Amino acid sequence: DMGAPPLVALDQSEARDDYKMWAWVQLIPGVQMPAFADAGIGSEAVPADDESLVAKPADALAQYADLVGLGAKKSSFSDAFDLPDGDLVSRVQSDAKNVRENTPGFEDAGSKLTVKYEARKDAGRAVRTADGGALVMGVLEGTTKLTAEEEAEVPPLTATQEALFGDQDPSNVLTVDYTDMVALYVPPKDSDQKIRPLGYQHDATAASNE
């Protein structure tokens, strides 16, 4: 009961079809949600290429994926976002830093860790907010690849990775794939506000030795 509430996206193919859960994210603690239209009126759906926002919904997701993969210091989109403490960027970059600094033998084995993220195309939903902006939810796909010298062995680093790795034999490479749901607030085009992450769900989905 002390955790942050989830944000759930429900999808409906036709007006009289049952709603189905499309995705959910855990809201970032302390984040401020945007306001929506009165329930009696409803909020309109916003297409992926909508140009009334500071960034098209599809572009906002792609830019955020770049931030998650490169980190705020290296991404060219840092100035477009107001990143709260505890968002997906800090989570992924903190995890990567932990691997580099706390994995036994990381430096001795000449290891290298790469992190790559991109937004899944045609996998987003957006709803208009009361101020003319939009709440955008989408899917980011990520990969971390830990490579050591040829003679080394890199086993799974967590219980989740171990379960996904299964009975594969460790090699000098450990690749872990992630599927992340994210929610962003994208302000209207004439606003001086920045894009704000609202929540995420970070899940490892595969692990391999190549």
Side-chain angles (χ1 to χ4, degrees), residues 9 11 13 23 29-30 37 46 48-49 62 65 79 85 105 138 143 158 162 165-166 169:
D11 197 28
S13 299
V46 179
D49 59 353
D79 291 342
D85 292 336
T143 299
T158 68
E162 187 175 351
F165 197 80
D169 294 324

Side-chain angles (χ1 to χ4, degrees), residues 27-160:
L27 292 176
I28 300 166
V31 75
Q32 183 177 354
M33 288 289 291
F36 297 91
D38 181 271
I41 300 173
S43 298
E44 66 172 322
V46 179
D49 59 353
D50 186 273
E51 296 184 347
S52 67
L53 310 170
V54 296
K56 298 175 184 178
D59 291 345
L61 291 168
Q63 292 171 15
Y64 191 56
D66 189 81
L67 265 168
V68 173
L70 294 178
K73 292 183 179 180
K74 294 183 178 180
S75 174
S76 59
F77 300 109
S78 297
D79 291 342
F81 286 77
D82 182 8
L83 300 177
D85 292 336
D87 82 312
L88 185 61
V89 175
S90 60
R91 166 71 183 275
V92 170
Q93 293 300 314
S94 177
D95 287 349
K97 181 179 179 181
N98 183 59
V99 170
R100 294 186 179 104
E101 295 182 354
N102 298 317
T103 300
F106 183 88
E107 293 186 359
D108 294 339
S111 300
K112 178 182 179 182
L113 178 69
T114 59
V115 181
K116 295 182 179 180
Y117 265 82
E118 63 181 14
R120 184 185 295 174
K121 295 181 179 179
D122 303 321
R125 300 289 189 275
V127 174
R128 186 73 66 186
T129 54
D131 62 358
L135 187 153
V136 178
M137 294 183 73
V139 184
L140 306 188
E141 295 178 327
T143 299
T144 63
K145 188 171 185 178
L146 177 55
T147 306
E149 59 190 8
E150 291 187 8
E151 296 80 8
E153 288 189 353
V154 184
L157 303 178
T158 68
T160 299

